[in-house]
Amino acid sequence: MRGTLRWGVQHGMPRLAVRRGARAGDLQSLLLADPATWREPYAFHERVRAAGPLLTGRFTCMSASHAVVREVLSGADFGVGALHDAPVPALRRPLAWASRERPTHPVEPPSMLAVDPPEHTRYRRLVSKVFTARAVEGLRPRVEELAAELLDELAGRGPVVDVVEGYALRLPLAVVAELLGVPAHRREEVRRFEAGVAGSLEVAAGWREVRAVDAALRGFDAWVGEHLQRLRRDPGDDLLSGLVTVTDDEHGGQRLSERELRATAGLLLAAGFETTVNLLGSATALLLQHPDQLAAARADPDLWPGVVEESLRLEAPVQLTSRRALRDTVVAGQPVRRGTRVVLLLGAAGRDPDVFTDPARFDVRRANAREHLAFSGGRHFCLGAPLARLEGQVGLRALFERFPALQPAAGAQRTTTRVLRGWRRLPVRLG
Ligand code: HEM
């Protein structure tokens, strides 16, 4: 009963509304209702860009402009607001009742991604205490080791392999498992929950999809509860063990609560796994499609960071996010009423011709590629960005050095989700 009501309010009603909107040509509704805009988002993004810096749709506003996306992300007039809020205020109470026994969700409170200050400030400070730049740099030798091990395994499977399943997925999985303090022989346990994660970012989703996501989240919740108990008894030197014990001295020695710990573990899995899989997959495909750029990186290893930034700019693994206006405000000269949600097309911001010359060209020497907004901006700027960059640089260099004659093979398939973009299958000939 609770599940049905929750689905109806969060997904069923928005689904009907966006279908109607899509038939009337509303661009925001098209983005929600038409899978063709997820498979090939860039033509759609150009329609949004052509409509001006801020497009006002039936239900929300939307922007493809780098300047507007950055302004909204960093401005004090906007907050995150729960992704799956009730569409009309009268439904908030029934929704709260229906959500009572829900498992922790990566993009709903208390997840760091879904709270505004002051909760966010306290929460992020605690997590940053253990997720420091030094701790991340300290992971470099381990990431190199993991990449080498996985490439050894990959070599044994040739001559044609799916580089996503065989490598792009396994490297971030191994890294996230290490952050969570999960030993190698139990890595697959973490992977089981992956399916629930990408789906949890969808809105106006179908009943079956939402049930599958809930089941995966419930499974993860139970698993992480037991796992945290193990870490309390026998802490390691991983990030999650660090979080179990970290305290905030400035605030009377506060710690993360059990729920916040579970949410953080879920968020690390949700935010740190498939995103990085998509970065590795998209960068591999781009390099294989542009042999001159690949040759440049092979000849000068200092270009690998450029490969990573340019891939993030051109194929943002997280295509969009959104913010809600906390008060009446003005964006790009247009009034935006309190409560309005603004959809920010991060993937389109990376291709804004006002910032990037010849934006569709893949150029690993592009001087300002790092100005992309693939890691978002403002206070929710990706906490894992240094780790993602490290995994990208180490992982790609290792792959292309190990297999100097790597070639694309037939049968590549893109992902089919709206928010996360990458490759589901990317067959290659190892050579
Ligand atoms: C290429 C890989 C990655 C991409 C493209 C990416 C992208 C993003 C984006 C777009 C956001 C903010 C969303 C918003 O503003 O609404 C975010 C937040 C976050 N990411 Fe990443 N991410 C990546 C890898 C990682 C990794 C490896 C980790 C950690 C293991 C991580 C942890 C986080 C966390 C904890 C947040 C929440 C920060 C906050 O709310 O203050 N991410 N990421």
Side-chain angles (χ1 to χ4, degrees):
M1 164 72 181
R2 282 196 159 112
T4 314
L5 177 61
R6 188 156 38 76
W7 175 80
V9 173
Q10 291 183 324
H11 298 276
M13 285 167 60
R15 223 168 140 84
L16 287 177
V18 297
R19 282 193 184 150
R20 218 175 299 134
R23 279 197 296 274
D26 174 61
L27 283 179
Q28 170 68 59
S29 305
L30 269 179
L31 177 63
L32 288 168
D34 181 4
T37 64
W38 319 340
R39 280 194 298 271
E40 279 315 322
Y42 302 119
F44 173 79
H45 290 174
E46 292 319 311
R47 288 178 68 188
V48 177
R49 206 188 306 286
L54 187 73
L55 177 86
T56 305
R58 281 189 168 203
F59 313 105
T60 59
C61 294
M62 183 158 54
S63 180
S65 148
H66 187 281
V68 169
V69 171
R70 204 180 42 189
E71 178 189 330
V72 170
L73 287 172
S74 10
D77 287 348
F78 288 89
V80 280
L83 179 71
H84 294 124
D85 259 0
V88 283
L91 290 170
R92 293 215 174 118
R93 274 181 145 212
L95 181 61
W97 174 81
S99 304
R100 232 184 255 164
E101 284 156 24
R102 268 211 99 181
T104 29
H105 190 289
V107 289
E108 284 178 22
S111 162
M112 187 190 322
L113 253 181
V115 292
D116 288 323
E119 288 85 2
H120 179 262
T121 322
R122 170 186 152 270
Y123 201 158
R124 182 151 173 145
R125 186 171 41 224
L126 280 165
V127 179
S128 307
K129 274 193 161 186
V130 293
F131 209 10
T132 59
R134 246 181 79 199
V136 170
E137 203 39 49
L139 285 170
R140 184 180 286 273
R142 185 66 189 128
V143 177
E144 285 170 350
E145 214 172 87
L146 288 168
E149 275 170 27
L150 293 171
L151 290 171
D152 282 346
E153 280 174 34
L154 196 67
R157 295 200 213 169
V160 175
V161 295
D162 172 11
V163 76
V164 170
E165 159 62 28
Y167 184 64
L169 190 144
R170 284 166 193 248
L171 185 61
L173 174 66
V175 172
V176 166
E178 301 234 337
L179 293 181
L180 298 179
V182 178
H185 67 276
R186 291 187 32 226
R187 253 178 229 161
E188 288 301 312
E189 291 178 22
V190 177
R191 189 174 167 186
R192 275 207 323 259
F193 307 115
E194 174 212 349
V197 166
S200 67
L201 299 173
E202 298 301 320
V203 287
W207 163 243
R208 273 215 211 131
E209 291 153 84
V210 172
R211 294 242 325 196
V213 166
D214 270 10
L217 293 178
R218 214 173 288 286
F220 183 74
D221 220 20
W223 174 87
V224 86
E226 285 169 24
H227 183 61
L228 283 167
Q229 300 233 12
R230 276 194 292 271
L231 294 184
R232 281 199 187 94
R233 281 195 304 270
D234 184 15
D237 52 10
D238 56 276
L239 179 104
L240 198 55
S241 292
L243 279 178
V244 168
T245 49
V246 72
T247 51
D248 186 353
D249 302 333
E250 284 171 44
H251 290 79
Q254 282 181 34
R255 289 184 181 203
L256 291 179
S257 68
E258 171 75 16
R259 241 185 122 215
E260 287 170 333
L261 276 170
R262 288 182 190 209
T264 307
L267 181 59
L268 290 177
L269 180 66
F273 177 27
E274 194 158 340
T275 48
T276 317
V277 178
N278 290 346
L279 162 64
L280 291 171
S282 294
T284 302
L286 284 165
L287 287 167
L288 292 172
Q289 287 155 11
H290 298 86
D292 58 323
Q293 301 295 309
L294 173 57
R298 279 190 168 130
D300 176 4
D302 287 348
L303 287 177
W304 286 108
V307 169
V308 170
E309 300 309 322
E310 185 66 345
S311 304
L312 288 167
R313 180 189 74 77
L314 209 53
E315 289 283 13
V318 180
Q319 283 280 309
L320 58 94
T321 183
S322 67
R323 293 293 185 265
R324 195 182 279 285
L326 298 172
R327 52 190 75 92
D328 290 352
T329 183
V330 174
V331 175
Q334 290 184 49
V336 175
R337 297 287 301 271
R338 174 167 175 249
T340 306
R341 191 166 275 285
V342 184
V343 175
L344 305 166
L345 300 172
L346 304 176
R351 291 171 175 241
D352 188 334
D354 288 346
V355 179
F356 304 104
T357 323
D358 196 0
R361 189 158 57 89
F362 179 60
D363 175 5
V364 301
R365 292 195 182 85
R366 188 183 290 275
N368 69 343
R370 225 178 132 100
E371 285 177 40
H372 63 72
L373 298 172
F375 288 126
S376 187
R379 64 177 81 92
H380 292 276
F381 178 82
C382 175
L383 193 64
L387 179 58
R389 289 184 156 125
L390 174 75
E391 288 183 62
Q393 292 163 20
V394 168
L396 292 166
R397 183 176 174 183
L399 172 69
F400 284 96
E401 284 185 352
R402 175 70 190 263
F403 301 109
L406 201 73
Q407 289 292 326
Q413 264 175 29
R414 282 212 168 272
T415 50
T416 50
T417 37
R418 189 175 53 94
V419 179
L420 301 181
R421 176 170 172 83
W423 292 91
R424 184 189 280 178
R425 274 173 55 77
L426 195 60
V428 292
R429 185 171 292 281
L430 296 175

